[in-house]
Amino acid sequence: MTTSDIAQGPFQVYPQSVPQSVSVKKGTGQDKNARPLSLSGHVGFDSLPHQLVNKSTCQGFCFNILCIGETGIGKSTLMDTLFNTNFENFESSHFEPKVKLRAQTYDLQESNVRLKLTIVNTVGFGDQMNKQESYQHVVDYIDTQFESYLQEELKIKRSLHNYHDSRIHACLYFIAPSGHSLKSLDLVTMKKLDSKVNIIPVIAKADTISKSELHKFKIKIMSELVSNGVQIYQFPTDDETVSKINTAMNGILPFAVVGSSEEVKIGNKMVKARQYPWGVVQVENENHCDFVKLREMLICVNMEDLREQTHTRHYELYRRCKLEEMGFTDTNPESKPVSLQETYEAKRHEFLGDLQRREEEMRQMFVQRVKEKETELKEAERELQGKFEQLKRLHSEEKSKLDEKRRSLEDEINTFSKKKAATELLQGQSFNTNANLKKDKDRKKSPEMEAKDVNLTCDEATNQNHNCCFRNL
Amino acid sequence: MMMPPPAMPAAFQVEKPVPGPGMGDFSYVGIDAILEQMRRKAMKQGFELNIMVVGQSGLGKSTLMNTLFKSKVSRKSVQATSQEKIPKTIDIKSVSHDIEEKGVRMKLTVIDTPGFGDQINNENCWQPIMKFINAQYEQYLQEEININRKKRIPDSRVHCCIYFIPPTGHCLRPLDVEFMRRLSKVVNIVPVIAKADTLTLEERDFFKQKIREELRANGIDVYPQKEFDEDAEDRMINDKIREMIPFAVVGSDQEYQVNGRRLLGRKTKWGTIEVENIAHCEFAYLRDLLIRTHMENIKDITSSIHYEVYRVRRLNENNTAIAHEGEDTHWGD
């Protein structure tokens, strides 16, 4: 709503033409229970498209282009030329280990239309020695954008009209101008992408091919695409305003383009061109290349259709596959319609049940392990106990042995000391008796004997203590 | 349905949006051609509009609809009713028409509610209407969460509900307040003073003022709702409208000769009331609001606000229903 809408009162009354009864079109695919009606005057809802457009203009538009092509094939230059600006680009190296995707978003404005343009470039595409994984990164990127849109759509509290749509609306596939045919990398990549994105193949650096070669090249490319079942984007031909031009353009695919951000003076105008010693290739000259046609088709005529196809065909396909993969269906085995909620509930129960079961399992396992460990430990304990007992036994055996020995030793000592004592006693006694005997003998015996005896006894006595002598005396 | 957000692989670098250098120069890119493309697409697809009319019988609902769309769109014109009996309960009847103007095709559905406010006991008269509106939201929601979705989901949601206030000249009745209070939360309500030719201009102004006060006092937000104004411009325009609601309308599908022109009007002994003359009644303002300027906005608010509120409530309800199985959930308190 703009201030210019305030004319009389708060509304702008749209110019009222003479009321005419408008012919009624029998509903083309309309509801059967809606009856066509003729109006007897000007109602004014013909301003609806205008209102719709106004609203969209306020919101701004969003367009995302993916450029796939080898390094150095001219993707960035073409984007610059297409949108007539100088996007900040820098040359990429040829030594990327794997394909990366670099997305840059720009805000463009032309008259009162604001466009949020996102250009996604493949960096390092076709540079690797082994190109088997090249297309996978691109496919993953596209899927990621679909996924985040799907996430947003499935949220409970969502804001779809504020959502920055990052899904790829158009994919420009740059074909190297070899003049012969498509490379196998091209075919494989395009085959993988044709159900996910609108593919528009372009022949890059078309100024290296002559006109006749170009014609043959285009035919070869299209036939190869068809024979390999690659579905490239067809410009829509159902709307009569644009069907003629679109059909014509469909026959000129793929577009042979030349990009240039440099300007050359031709006549008295500066035009975008590439200057060679043998001539100047003018980008916007339709005789030189198909750049103008590409711009026309991509932006001026079919931008909205590209966005719509992305949303209604590619995104819906992705969504359907994703949800089916997760196990959701619209009809259960009895072919009664099942709501998403019911399926979700069922899945949730299943999942919870599963979770519980697994928890139980784990618990059982845990208990079992504990038991096992316990028995193990018990075994070890028992073993240890046994060993201990054994050692103890040994020890006590030894001890008792030692005790016995000690006892026997003691006994021996006792016996010995007894013997010793006895021997000493005996000796003492025997000496006394000897001494007494000696005395008697002395009285009886001759003095010779006495002398002998005395000598003996004296000898003995001298051998012994003085006792006997003293005793005798 | 919670899925864990996918982790962004490190290979993707997204740079912040850079305000591109102005495009001017002399070369034309053609971005603004998208407006034309959108217009074309809209014309091809056609539009849908669902209007509900609510009010006691005899207030001129059918006539007003016919006047608005300059053709016999009302239920009465479609169904040949031998006698007009006031139904015992509130009926909800909807009739669809395909109309076209200057290449713009529209499927218009008029939803009538005969029996509203006509019983002796009108408590809970808003319930069947609330149920109907919610049923339309439900139908849309079910279509939306299907796996195999239709290319274009048929939109049967009620975009706008025109509420007819009888021209008592005093203030709103409890029935009016109750209905509008409950329904303004789920649908865009446009209140109009019916049969406004029974009020003089002073009475009309007084009545309108009273009504506005009462709406404010009861916290009833009718269309255009203050909280959905998008920017200052919007607010300015909508403020002017809010100063004028409710529109005092007179409907007629009969043409009379006035000053040499054939105009829609009501002929009485004391003069002819011209329906489209803003000096006589505010029908033209209502028509402009509803059709010529704010129709897209009305549909927008329905789909992005009222429907989303319903959806959030519905999806949350399912979650809590699991937690409290068997509990009774109440709708629209």
Side-chain angles (χ1 to χ4, degrees), chain A residues 239-337:
Chain A
D239 188 348
E240 61 247 353
T241 12
V242 291
S243 65
K244 224 170 43 170
I245 187 172
N246 276 346
T247 345
M249 290 298 161
N250 274 332
I252 303 184
L253 280 175
F255 295 123
V257 293
V258 175
S260 168
S261 27
E262 286 155 9
E263 285 166 10
V264 172
K265 200 173 177 79
I266 301 274
N268 54 356
K269 278 201 306 176
M270 296 293 280
V271 294
K272 287 199 277 264
R274 284 177 67 78
Q275 175 130 59
Y276 291 107
W278 48 88
V280 178
V281 179
Q282 293 161 41
V283 167
E284 280 169 329
N285 186 333
E286 296 209 42
N287 289 329
H288 290 195
C289 70
D290 296 330
F291 172 79
V292 175
K293 298 194 180 81
L294 173 69
R295 185 176 62 194
E296 180 93 2
M297 285 292 105
L298 188 64
I299 303 175
C300 305
V301 178
N302 295 309
M303 197 195 267
E304 184 58 33
D305 185 67
L306 283 163
R307 282 163 22 124
E308 194 178 333
Q309 290 288 328
T310 308
H311 181 66
T312 55
R313 202 148 57 96
H314 301 296
Y315 169 70
E316 284 298 312
L317 181 66
Y318 174 83
R319 178 179 176 272
R320 203 178 325 144
C321 293
K322 195 72 200 293
L323 291 178
E324 273 173 5
E325 195 182 282
M326 300 203 342
F328 292 98
T329 46
D330 276 339
T331 58
N332 63 19
E334 291 106 53
S335 22
K336 278 204 306 232

Side-chain angles (χ1 to χ4, degrees), chain A residues 83-86 107-111, chain B residues 18-27 29:
Chain A
F83 289 100
N84 208 19
T85 50
N86 196 2
D107 280 320
L108 306 173
Q109 181 156 1
E110 190 172 68
S111 54
Chain B
V18 169
M23 291 196 33
D25 289 32
F26 40 81
S27 292
V29 175

